[in-house]
Amino acid sequence: MAGGASGSSKKQGEVQCQEVSVQEAEKEVDKGETEKNEDVLRKSEEDVSEREGREGREELIERVKECPECHSKNLVWDYERAELFCGDCGLVIAENLVDLGPEWRAFDFEQASRRERVGAPMTYRIHDKGLSTLVTSKGLEPLGRWHIAHITNTSERSFIYALSEIDRMASALKLPMNIREAAAKLYRKVMEKNLIRGRSIEGITSAILYITCRQYGVPRTLEEIKAVSRVSQREISRAYRFLLRELDIHLPPASPIEFVPRFCSRLGLGGDVRAKAIEIIKKAQEKKLTNGKGPIGVAAAAIYIAAILSGKHKTQKEISEATGVTEVTIRNRYRELSEKLDIKILI
């Protein structure tokens, strides 16, 4: 009897073990199916994002088949400045364009598979470069408390605030993402050299954004930076000179030509005025008339002359409001250019 009972218990134990094994196997299958579905969904979302970015560009280029100003079909997509412009007359047809596709290119399935990745890319615009993970598990509660304390100390809070200021001002100025990344990276360098102590974060970040725009050939005037900053233009200028000296940065003088397309767009002037203004500036540069002169003032005066010559006259007040240059400066530069370049102007 005892032997029979023992054999029965053994069989029941084997049956139970088999049932547990079957349940675990089913769980593994379910887990595998879930992970497979999630992977398929993720790849589907990435494909949709890439397709939307590609279709968005193709739709824009399909809709704008030629330049509305000179009717040229030589349209150029500028990824750095997020603009679509005419390669012949320089007219900016569309700006602040968002590319929803990936930043990499692939020419076959294998290459695309290797380059796919999960999670957001590393970025200098976030204080921890987007690499940290907040632990909320109860088993790791002490680590969670340490993490919260770590990001709320004074130094870290100041760092986070500085990066948010750079991003806020860059958004207001409609600057492309590469400018924002470079400005955030430069701020990290300034912080590592302990150059922030005793200076306002707002002044330093404003100066850094101004420097980065100059470095990347997307110039913004001090007046434009000041308009979105929380400090005075004088403080920005002081911080700008300080950073150039301490970081040993050498910036080439900005060319007046770089400002012409943007100023003409603000004034509603077409490609003919742009081309004429650039031609005037080039002649002035050849005769070294721009040496020692502010590039913005020269650009404003050249646009003023070009608009008159093209029969699209703009007042000095209108140009002053669009460029931030005083009417006196525009008048002085306009007289210098017209006299030295022998340009006959009838107003």
Side-chain angles (χ1 to χ4, degrees), residues 107-119:
F107 299 96
D108 54 42
F109 177 78
E110 183 181 352
Q111 204 174 61
S113 299
R114 285 201 309 270
R115 294 182 179 180
E116 282 183 349
R117 55 185 180 270
V118 178

Side-chain angles (χ1 to χ4, degrees), residues 20-314:
V20 170
S21 299
V22 169
Q23 290 174 356
E24 290 179 350
E26 289 176 348
K27 287 181 179 178
E28 288 296 323
V29 170
D30 292 340
K31 182 180 179 182
E33 288 295 328
T34 301
E35 290 177 351
K36 183 178 178 182
N37 291 336
E38 289 177 351
D39 188 51
V40 169
L41 179 61
R42 176 182 59 78
K43 288 184 177 180
S44 175
E45 289 174 347
E46 289 177 353
D47 291 342
V48 168
S49 177
E50 180 180 356
R51 186 169 64 253
E52 285 178 349
R54 184 173 61 252
E55 289 176 354
R57 294 192 298 272
E58 291 174 353
E59 181 184 347
L60 178 62
I61 295 173
E62 181 67 25
R63 191 171 71 250
V64 185
K65 294 183 178 180
E66 62 179 30
C67 173
E69 187 65 37
C70 67
H71 305 292
S72 168
K73 297 185 183 297
N74 181 20
L75 305 182
V76 181
W77 181 285
D78 189 332
Y79 289 91
E80 288 191 354
R81 303 191 185 195
E83 295 175 346
L84 179 68
F85 67 92
C86 175
D88 292 337
C89 72
L91 174 68
V92 179
I93 300 170
E95 58 183 349
N96 305 322
L97 301 173
V98 178
D99 185 358
L100 300 176
E103 81 286 0
W104 43 263
R105 298 177 66 192
F107 299 96
D108 54 42
F109 177 78
E110 183 181 352
Q111 204 174 61
S113 299
R114 285 201 309 270
R115 294 182 179 180
E116 282 183 349
R117 55 185 180 270
V118 178
M122 186 184 77
T123 173
Y124 289 100
R125 297 185 300 113
I126 302 176
H127 74 286
D128 57 7
K129 301 182 183 179
L131 300 177
S132 69
T133 302
L134 179 62
V135 180
T136 57
S137 172
K138 292 183 178 179
L140 295 176
E141 192 173 350
L143 179 60
R145 286 202 301 267
W146 175 87
H147 180 80
I148 294 169
H150 175 66
I151 65 170
T152 55
N153 63 55
T154 304
S155 176
E156 196 78 1
R157 281 202 305 270
S158 298
F159 185 31
I160 294 171
Y161 172 68
L163 294 180
S164 68
E165 273 295 281
I166 290 174
D167 212 45
R168 180 189 66 79
M169 290 188 290
S171 296
L173 292 168
K174 299 179 180 179
L175 295 172
M177 197 59 67
N178 65 322
I179 301 291
R180 305 183 192 194
E181 285 285 334
K185 189 174 181 180
L186 183 57
Y187 184 86
R188 290 172 184 271
K189 185 178 180 180
V190 170
M191 192 174 66
E192 288 170 4
K193 290 183 174 289
N194 200 26
L195 300 177
I196 310 294
R197 189 185 296 271
R199 298 180 181 275
S200 76
I201 291 176
E202 292 86 353
I204 292 292
T205 52
S206 300
I208 282 175
L209 203 57
Y210 180 64
I211 290 171
T212 308
C213 287
R214 290 277 303 276
Q215 288 176 326
Y216 279 73
V218 188
R220 292 293 185 269
T221 66
L222 270 175
E223 288 78 9
E224 289 176 297
I225 298 291
K226 184 256 178 188
V228 299
S229 178
R230 302 183 195 274
V231 294
S232 65
Q233 187 172 324
R234 183 179 179 183
E235 187 169 346
I236 298 172
S237 299
R238 190 186 300 121
Y240 166 71
R241 291 191 296 269
F242 169 74
L243 292 178
L244 291 185
R245 182 176 67 253
E246 294 297 324
L247 298 177
D248 194 28
I249 296 175
H250 301 281
L251 294 175
S255 171
I257 294 174
E258 295 175 347
F259 296 93
V260 171
R262 196 154 48 92
F263 290 162
C264 284
S265 294
R266 287 182 185 177
L267 290 161
L269 297 171
D272 55 338
V273 178
R274 286 188 186 87
K276 192 66 180 175
I278 291 172
E279 182 186 343
I280 291 170
I281 292 172
K282 286 181 178 179
K283 288 180 179 178
Q285 288 174 334
E286 289 172 4
K287 294 191 175 185
K288 299 183 179 179
L289 301 178
T290 60
N291 291 359
K293 305 292 192 305
I296 304 170
V298 174
I303 292 171
Y304 177 68
I305 296 171
I308 294 173
L309 296 177
S310 303
K312 298 175 182 177
H313 179 72
K314 294 287 181 180

